[in-house]
Amino acid sequence: MAKNSEIKNKKERNFPIGVKLALIIGFIVLASLGTVTFLNSYFVSEDVRITAEENNLTINTRSAQTVQNELSSVRANVLQLLDLINVSSGGKNSALAKQAEAFFFERNQDIAEILLLSARQGRQDFLTNTQLKNIRFFNSNEIDFSATDTFIAQAGKYITRTISGETIALNASPFFKSGMLGLFLPYHESGLEQALIIIFSTESLSDILGTGSTNQTFIINDSDDLLCHAELDRILSGQSMTNHPLVEKMRKENQNNEESRQVIFDQPDEDGKKITKQIGAFQKIAIADICVITTVPLDTVLEGVRTTRRNNLYLMGIVLFISIIFILTFARFAISRPLRFLTASAEEINQGNFNTPIISKLNTKRRDEIGVLNKSTQDEQEFLNTFARFTNRGVAKAIARKEIDFEPHLKDVSIFFSDIRGFTAISDGFKNRFGEESPREIIGFLNDYMSRMVNCVTISGGTIDKFEGDAIMAVWGILRDEDLSFELLPDSDPEKKQKEEKHLSHVKQDAISAITGTIAMRYALMQYNKDAEAFTKAHEGEPKAKYKPHIRIGCGINTGRATCGIMGSEDKMEYTAIGDSVNFASRTESSNKPCGTDILITQDTYNLLKGDYIRCEENNFTIKPEFAASEIVVEMIPVEFEVKGKGAQHFYGVVNMPAFDIEEFFKKGDENFVLDEDCARCVGKTGPKTLNEVRNLLGIPIPEFGSVNLNEEENKIQVKK
């Protein structure tokens, strides 16, 4: 029912009054500005198109005139050179002729070669009457001298036509691997019909055509072969423009052989899928029937219009945005946003995230109802954090999430107890030094120590049950949703075995986690003692010098069935575990002193883990790869004792977890954790290998087990005679 109500409320919030007002104003803005933008774009586009057509035609006309002047200049200069050579005394090989040739090529560096060819009687080849080669041009452009011969060999039919009186322009670029043009001119000398061939670079023509402009200009000959183009690869490949839409249109529709014309044509892309409108103009020049063509994409021409339209749309969007913001600002910042923060805070609290930073963002200075709600929420956060510290953060989260069944249940858990050795003497030392100030000093020392231990429990997934003076009780698996009803199933039921295996896996994992957290405490304790020594040294010499004592602790772990649940009265309750397994864990911790150990596990915990995690006879002293990361090294305490209701028992001292990665473990709680190599020798790959190494490392005396009397710790435990 509550869920349906929540869904309904969300639906109601999805269309508030602020959104309605924003939609109305937005529609008005869109309708008015959209109409203005459309009409403006239409009329301006027409004006720009007409202007672009005129500009394109002007560029084409100017380019054609310039190209004609350039070609005429080349022709005139070459003819002048030939006339000078012809009239010079001594003929073509005279010093004056050579000097004129050198001077010519120095002034006309773009001209590569000049040839005069005549036809041979009854033969297909041609006689070279004159050949003037610009050696510097060939060398500077790294062109093979044989390129001319190859070009001439391929141009036989054009040479014949030229001798007959035609002027022809050919693309010589494929032969010279550079932008080159061959101009074939009829030449009459002393009654001899010859072909004057001028081979020169098109670089100057490319500059004339303005290859970097928006309008693209190129040149073709009477055969539609490309002579000059902004894209050099095209002329190098000897591309024909016969299939170009504008050339086709020019050749097909220009029945009156007009010298110039402008049209609009469709230009498909390389794939032939997209077609764009182009403005095209062509102009024929008086030399070699060359045609200069200029095109410009209509899209490019109208880009300015589109930019203006886009800017108008942006402006419209800005106006719309400002209008909407103006309408929504008050609703958003005065009501919606604070309520969203409150909702998010409530959801975080319901998830047990009492320290969420969202609550700190709530504005408690407002003098209205929302300000009161914000202050109440922050007060609730403070209360919940205090409540979590007084009970248990894991339990508090589980209560907030409604994950705890308040009815007591039997659960298989791993219980941990720890205690500081000689705490009474430590406490007396504080009293003797600090007097009335000793409580604050003792609590400060305990809080430092316990915060480190609690961190290990939390990271390993345990739950702090309680603190009793200097003692800590923690439980692994107490918050797990435990259902032992499968034990009532008949042994023949396959579901029973499946659930037993799953349950056993959980219990083993809890035990491993408990030992992992406790092993981490060994490192944390060494780090504490090192820091305590530094703290004490830093304050020595001061009156009532502050200090932190060097301490040792004992830890006991037992795995067994306990009663877990909320216990107490209406005035005081706590979520805890009770039972013989809990009592046995406590007695295990107290047995560390006579056993000369810091961590003891019971035989129940040992038997649970030995097959997978402890090298022993049962597994032929081998561990499967999937369990190697959690391998435990233990030693049996050589004292057999009787436990009430359990018979003969042994404790096992935890030596090490060889694969334990200290840095990886603590970085789960603090990304900035820095490993202390000196303290790291207490656990992991550099850790101890025997209990005696542990004792030597921690300063624990090696006990004489022949005189150990565990009866001193608990009447339920008796040394077996």
Side-chain angles (χ1 to χ4, degrees), residues 192-447:
L192 180 63
E193 301 293 334
Q194 301 178 82
L196 171 60
I197 301 174
I198 307 171
I199 303 173
F200 59 95
S201 172
T202 60
E203 184 176 352
S204 60
L205 294 180
S206 298
D207 294 338
I208 293 171
L209 300 180
T211 54
S213 63
T214 303
N215 299 70
Q216 186 181 75
T217 303
F218 56 92
I219 305 172
I220 62 174
N221 61 11
D222 60 339
S223 299
D224 298 335
D225 294 328
L226 195 60
L227 300 178
C228 187
H229 195 279
E231 298 176 16
L232 183 60
D233 291 343
R234 292 194 175 190
I235 58 174
L236 290 179
S237 63
Q239 182 177 351
S240 173
M241 303 299 286
T242 302
N243 296 325
H244 190 281
L246 179 57
V247 175
E248 288 182 342
K249 201 176 188 68
M250 178 183 69
R251 299 301 187 194
K252 182 178 180 181
E253 298 181 4
N254 192 17
Q255 302 296 334
N256 297 326
N257 201 25
E258 298 172 298
E259 294 297 327
S260 64
R261 189 179 174 191
Q262 181 159 259
V263 296
I264 295 179
F265 64 97
D266 294 329
Q267 175 69 57
D269 61 7
E270 294 181 358
D271 298 331
K273 296 180 180 179
K274 184 179 180 181
I275 297 177
T276 58
K277 290 287 185 182
Q278 300 259 350
I279 299 174
F282 62 87
Q283 178 87 27
K284 293 182 180 179
I285 66 176
I287 300 175
D289 201 20
I290 290 174
C291 185
V292 178
I293 297 175
T294 304
T295 63
V296 61
L298 197 56
D299 287 344
T300 303
V301 170
L302 298 178
E303 181 61 30
V305 179
R306 293 193 179 94
T307 300
T308 302
R309 181 172 60 199
R310 187 165 53 248
N311 292 338
N312 288 338
L313 291 175
Y314 289 156
L315 178 62
M316 181 174 64
I318 292 171
V319 173
L320 177 62
F321 176 75
I322 293 175
S323 301
I324 293 175
I325 290 299
F326 180 79
I327 296 168
L328 294 179
T329 295
F330 177 80
R332 176 180 175 81
F333 291 99
I335 301 175
S336 300
R337 186 178 181 184
L339 289 180
R340 281 199 299 273
F341 275 119
L342 281 171
T343 302
S345 300
E347 290 175 353
E348 289 291 317
I349 290 174
N350 288 336
Q351 293 299 316
N353 301 324
F354 305 145
N355 286 323
T356 174
I358 297 177
I359 297 178
S360 63
K361 298 178 181 179
L362 298 178
N363 183 6
T364 58
K365 296 181 180 180
R366 293 181 52 149
R367 297 183 178 182
D368 56 13
E369 292 81 354
I370 292 179
V372 174
L373 287 173
N374 290 342
K375 184 64 171 64
S376 299
T377 303
Q378 289 189 350
D379 292 342
E380 182 182 3
Q381 180 192 34
E382 183 178 351
F383 163 75
L384 289 172
N385 278 311
T386 303
F387 168 72
R389 288 194 296 270
F390 274 96
T391 55
N392 181 283
R393 187 165 297 277
V395 174
K397 284 186 177 183
I399 292 174
R401 296 173 181 173
K402 299 179 177 59
E403 295 174 350
I404 282 187
D405 187 348
F406 286 84
E407 294 296 325
H409 290 281
L410 290 175
K411 293 186 177 182
D412 289 324
V413 294
S414 289
I415 307 104
F416 162 90
F417 279 90
S418 72
D419 187 52
I420 298 176
R421 295 285 169 260
F423 181 71
T424 301
I426 292 172
S427 180
D428 290 341
F430 275 100
K431 291 177 183 177
N432 293 334
R433 174 173 293 193
F434 299 107
E436 293 181 356
E437 298 177 3
S438 61
R440 181 171 65 250
E441 298 297 328
I442 292 174
I443 293 300
F445 141 66
L446 281 177
N447 285 343

Side-chain angles (χ1 to χ4, degrees), residues 518-519 521-523 525-526 529 550-555 592 595-600 632-637 652-658 678-684 686-703 705:
T518 309
I519 279 287
M521 289 181 189
R522 182 184 289 170
Y523 171 87
L525 182 66
M526 287 195 71
N529 283 328
H550 187 284
I551 60 174
R552 295 201 307 267
I553 65 172
C555 305
N592 276 282
C595 292
T597 55
D598 67 328
I599 304 172
L600 282 177
I632 306 167
V633 178
V634 300
E635 283 187 22
M636 185 180 70
I637 302 301
Y652 292 82
V654 177
V655 177
N656 194 10
M657 294 183 74
D678 181 53
C679 298
R681 56 197 174 92
C682 70
V683 64
T686 60
K689 296 177 175 56
T690 66
L691 268 183
N692 281 343
E693 288 187 23
V694 175
R695 292 171 179 131
N696 292 332
L697 182 67
L698 301 180
I700 301 173
I702 300 175
F705 288 103

